[in-house]
Amino acid sequence: AAGVIQSPRHLIKEKRETATLKCYPIPRHDTVYWYQQGPGQDPQFLISFYEKMQSDKGSIPDRFSAQQFSDYHSELNMSSLELGDSALYFCASSSRTSGSFTDTQYFGPGTRLTVL
Amino acid sequence: SQQGEEDPQALSIQEGENATMNCSYKTSINNLQWYRQNSGRGLVHLILIRSNEREKHSGRLRVTLDTSKKSSSLLITASRAADTASYFCATVGQGGGTSYGKLTFGQGTILTVHP
């Protein structure tokens, strides 16, 4: 079965540079979530989209922005990178059923971002 | 962690033994989910239990939920070396409209199963 695809898998950037992470949800999934997991930490919710509209926002820095496109893929744009942005970035997708957002989220393999 | 505590933080057992991990959370929930993560890799969904359920089974996994105590436990029976991983509980809060569904994770339990 198709899974969530994230690219790139690894990314190395210098401080103050910009990074773009991409997420391709499972086909027919209409909701995308982004999470950040620092070293030894639990994943933290950043932002989510439903039907190409932002639906919820967590502890996402103003330097980060994201969007969901007409083909449902999503991109997380990160500018003015800082050392503390080094982390695993996960995308997850789900399918809204019966008007509910409460079903299983399927995670991608993650993008490991290292900021030097 | 925004969500609460997982207990224990690390667990080391022998193959064939049972492993029990506990999770506490702070707010009212719609459901609670357990995920597994192998070192530095993606999160694999294990099981989802809804707030109106008390117990759920899936293969060697058994999950319980006590909403009055805001706690859950994950039991892995007859553990195998391949079960070695970090285990996270995550909750979906109650809410309405379009602004819920996000997962709030606990700190995780590192499980090591020795052959």
Side-chain angles (χ1 to χ4, degrees), chain B residues 89-105:
Chain B
C89 71
T91 56
V92 174
Q94 289 182 338
T98 60
S99 63
Y100 71 102
K102 67 182 182 185
L103 291 169
T104 302
F105 283 84

Side-chain angles (χ1 to χ4, degrees), chain A residues 33 35 37 41-45 55-57 59 88 90 96 99-105 107-109 112, chain B residues 1-2 30-31 33 35 37 40-43 45 48 50 88 92 97-103 105-107:
Chain A
Y33 302 82
Y35 296 86
Q37 185 180 28
Q41 305 288 315
D42 51 287
Q44 299 286 316
F45 170 74
S55 66
D56 204 352
K57 200 169 181 179
S59 49
L88 263 173
F90 289 108
R96 180 180 180 183
S100 168
F101 282 88
T102 59
D103 286 330
T104 301
Q105 292 181 29
F107 281 74
R112 183 174 294 281
Chain B
S1 168
Q2 295 178 7
N30 180 287
N31 67 66
Q33 304 179 34
Y35 285 83
Q37 183 178 36
R41 298 202 169 188
L43 291 149
H45 181 262
L48 180 154
R50 300 194 186 279
F88 292 92
V92 174
T98 60
S99 63
Y100 71 102
K102 67 182 182 185
L103 291 169
F105 283 84
Q107 289 182 332

Side-chain angles (χ1 to χ4, degrees), chain B residues 69-82:
Chain B
K69 295 180 179 178
K70 290 188 168 59
S71 67
S72 173
S73 68
L74 171 68
L75 168 67
I76 304 174
T77 59
S79 63
R80 306 166 182 167

Side-chain angles (χ1 to χ4, degrees), chain A residues 1-7 21-34 47-53 67-76 90-96 104-110:
Chain A
V4 176
I5 297 171
Q6 290 187 247
S7 68
L21 279 54
K22 297 185 179 183
C23 168
Y24 298 85
I26 292 171
R28 292 180 294 281
H29 279 193
D30 49 28
T31 306
V32 167
Y33 302 82
W34 285 96
I47 195 166
S48 63
F49 293 87
Y50 166 68
E51 285 291 346
K52 293 151 278 184
M53 299 286 289
Q67 57 182 323
Q68 186 179 30
F69 294 85
S70 57
D71 63 351
Y72 292 95
H73 94 273
S74 178
E75 294 184 4
L76 177 65
F90 289 108
C91 169
S93 74
S94 68
S95 176
R96 180 180 180 183
T104 301
Q105 292 181 29
Y106 295 90
F107 281 74

